[in-house]
Amino acid sequence: MVLRIDDEKRVRTITLDRPDALNAFNEELYDAAAEALLAAAADDQVAVVLLTGAGRAFSAGTDLLEMHARVSDPAFVPGKHGFLGFLDALVEFPKPLVLAINGLGLGIGATMVGFADLVFMSTSARLKCPFTSLGVAPEAASSLLFPQLIGRQNAAWVLLSAEWISAEQALEMGLAWRLCEPEELVAEARRHAEVLAARPISSLLAVKRTMTAPHRDAIREARDRENACFAELMGGPANVEALTAFAEGRQPDFTSLPPGW
C-alpha cells in the first residue's frame, strides 16, 4: 500500500505512505492518489478531504529515478492515471481540500497548494519548485495559480529560482494559511476540516464550485502551455544532465550545455 485512507466525522484523511522514498510519486502512487480523490468526490458520506504525508516528508514530487527510467527505457509502462490523471482529479475535486504539509514538499508536493482550499504547514516543513534545476517547465497550472495566490514577484522567485521556501516564508507569501508545531499539525488541520465537514455538503459543493468556476478555462489553458513546454524540454540536454546527475549522486553542471540550453 502506498497510501492510507481513514474516515472520521465526514472527513476523509488520505496519507501518502512511501516514507522511505519521501512520499515521492511513482506511477503507483499517482494512480492510488487519483483513485482516492475520485472515490472521495463520489462518496456522499465524505464532506472534506485532508491530505498529508507519512514520515518526515509531505511529498518529494515525482520519483526522479522513475522519471529517468521513463526517459531512458523504451519498455517503461506508465500507470492508469499517472501525473496528468492525478492532476485532473485535483482540478475537478468538488469538495474542500485541506493540506497538512508535514515536511518537505517538492514539485507536485508544492504545486498542489494551488488547488488546496486550506493549507496547514509544519514549522519544520519546506517547499521547493525544482523545475529550473531539472531543466523542465512549471507544472500543475502553477504558472497561473501561484501568481494569483502569492503575487507575481513571489511566484517568479519560487518558480524561477528552484530555491527552498521555509514555512515562515510560505506563510508570509500566502502559500500557507496556518503554521503549526509538528506534533500539532494534523490535529489542528483536522479540527478545521471537521468544522467544514459539519456544514451541509450541498453548500460546500456550491461554494467551491462558484469559487473555482471562473478559473477553469484559464487553468486548462495554463496546463496546455506548461505541457507543451514540458514536452519540449523533457529529454533535452538540460533535463538529461539533471536526471543523470541525480542518478549519479552529484550536482548537475549546466555550464557546458549547447548554446541556448
Side-chain angles (χ1 to χ4, degrees), residues 51-231:
L51 180 63
T52 191
R56 63 188 183 93
F58 178 58
S59 173
T62 296
D63 190 313
L64 292 185
L65 291 177
E66 192 170 86
M67 182 186 286
H68 186 265
R70 177 187 287 271
V71 173
S72 60
D73 183 2
F76 180 83
V77 179
K80 175 183 177 182
H81 297 286
F83 168 77
L84 293 178
F86 172 64
L87 188 53
D88 287 342
L90 274 177
V91 172
E92 299 298 329
F93 191 66
K95 299 173 180 179
L97 176 64
V98 179
L99 302 187
I101 300 179
N102 55 296
L104 62 85
L106 286 84
I108 189 63
T111 56
M112 74 170 76
V113 167
F115 297 99
D117 298 295
L118 294 174
V119 176
F120 294 81
M121 193 167 172
S122 166
T123 54
S124 63
R126 299 183 295 164
L127 300 175
K128 179 191 280 193
C129 293
F131 310 120
T132 56
S133 67
L134 295 174
V136 293
E139 66 181 16
S142 57
S143 59
L144 169 77
L145 296 175
F146 273 30
Q148 291 180 347
L149 184 63
I150 62 177
R152 179 178 174 82
Q153 292 189 66
N154 282 330
W157 177 251
V158 171
L159 296 176
L160 289 170
S161 72
E163 290 291 311
W164 285 106
I165 306 300
S166 69
E168 291 75 16
Q169 289 174 303
L171 179 65
E172 181 180 0
M173 288 180 178
L175 287 171
W177 189 57
R178 292 282 192 277
L179 298 189
C180 306
E181 293 304 313
E183 64 276 9
E184 300 170 357
L185 173 70
V186 173
E188 184 68 1
R190 169 171 287 283
R191 184 174 72 82
H192 284 78
E194 289 178 358
V195 170
L196 301 184
R199 307 304 184 212
I201 293 176
S202 56
S203 292
L204 297 175
L205 291 169
V207 170
K208 182 153 182 178
R209 183 168 62 249
T210 55
M211 290 178 68
T212 59
H215 307 290
R216 288 296 180 88
D217 289 343
I219 288 171
R220 176 182 50 78
E221 291 168 1
R223 290 180 62 189
D224 288 345
R225 289 191 297 269
E226 291 171 355
N227 291 342
C229 290
F230 205 99

